Amino acid sequence: MAPSEPPEHDGLRETPVATQPVFEGRFLRIWRDTVRLPDGAVAEREYIKHSGAVMVIPLLDNGRVLMERQWRTPMRRVMTEFPAGKLDAGEAWQACAARELREETGYSAREWAYIGTINNAISYSDEAIHLAFARGLSPGPRQLDQHEFLEVFEAAPEQLLDWVHSGAITDVKTVIGVFWLEKLLSGSWDLDWRS
């Protein structure tokens, strides 16, 4: 039986009346829309346009996973995350995932399993993050971007659950990845592995 979809609610739809750019940087674009609400009133909506990203959950043959620590300026602290990176224009998720995994960790993967897409901040951003598992990892040299500093380390899946529970990991994509990892390792959810 196929999973059901939530019902549509067209009565909640907002109709764009005007759209204008507010800020255009190298990484983010901020837009302001004037919209007509379901009751006919007019309102403004500001949001970030983002090219999208990919996050990889790298499974090592020893039962552990590869993780990263990286300074994140908006949070003003070092964050613990799975490897991830921004999609280039027209880039497929798997090409981006392979590139980011190699650049940030030095590893290449023999097999991939696509999990799906998440929208991590729907109230103010259109960013979509593709999530995937990687296994059959082979080490190699890292190829960090200029001015990119991060530490790569191995962690046991149980450690990750503890860190999510304690609040040591708060990055939403990583939290979701940890719960997917738990489902995979328990045998609750199957994945379609491909080369």
Side-chain angles (χ1 to χ4, degrees):
M1 181 172 170
S4 64
E5 295 283 329
E8 289 289 324
H9 291 285
D10 284 337
L12 300 174
R13 185 175 305 277
E14 296 179 359
T15 306
V17 175
T19 298
Q20 66 180 23
V22 175
F23 170 80
E24 189 138 353
R26 288 181 303 127
F27 183 62
L28 298 174
R29 294 172 292 153
I30 301 175
W31 290 78
R32 180 180 299 122
D33 285 2
T34 302
V35 298
R36 185 161 318 284
L37 302 174
D39 66 359
V42 174
E44 288 189 340
R45 304 286 188 235
E46 294 177 345
Y47 57 96
I48 297 169
K49 286 190 165 238
H50 191 284
S51 64
V54 170
M55 182 192 79
V56 180
I57 304 169
L59 306 173
L60 293 162
D61 291 341
N62 65 8
R64 298 168 71 84
V65 293
L66 283 177
M67 299 295 294
E68 299 177 352
R69 288 186 193 96
Q70 187 172 10
W71 177 264
R72 293 300 191 178
T73 298
M75 303 307 298
R76 300 288 195 257
R77 68 182 176 106
V78 172
M79 302 291 286
T80 300
E81 309 169 57
F82 286 117
K86 187 176 77 66
L87 281 163
D88 290 336
E91 187 176 31
W93 76 264
Q94 191 170 348
C96 180
R99 175 176 49 80
E100 290 294 334
L101 182 64
R102 185 179 56 259
E103 287 178 1
E104 294 184 357
T105 71
Y107 281 84
S108 298
R110 187 179 65 251
E111 291 183 290
W112 297 89
Y114 186 72
I115 298 171
T117 303
I118 62 170
N119 302 104
N120 61 322
I122 61 173
S123 61
Y124 62 85
S125 176
D126 69 348
E127 182 179 12
I129 303 174
H130 300 273
L131 308 180
F133 282 101
R135 69 181 180 190
L137 302 181
S138 301
R142 293 194 312 168
Q143 301 166 6
L144 294 174
D145 292 334
Q146 185 179 12
H147 306 301
E148 184 176 29
F149 301 92
L150 56 88
E151 296 175 357
V152 177
F153 66 99
E154 295 182 17
E158 313 80 58
Q159 277 181 302
L160 300 181
L161 281 168
D162 288 345
W163 292 340
V164 168
H165 185 255
S166 71
I169 292 178
T170 60
D171 171 56
V172 70
K173 69 186 183 308
T174 300
V175 170
I176 291 168
V178 169
F179 290 135
W180 265 95
L181 178 60
E182 179 186 37
K183 292 293 188 184
L184 173 69
L185 297 178
S186 72
S188 298
W189 292 348
D190 291 326
L191 295 174
D192 182 19
W193 290 96
R194 298 176 183 224
S195 299

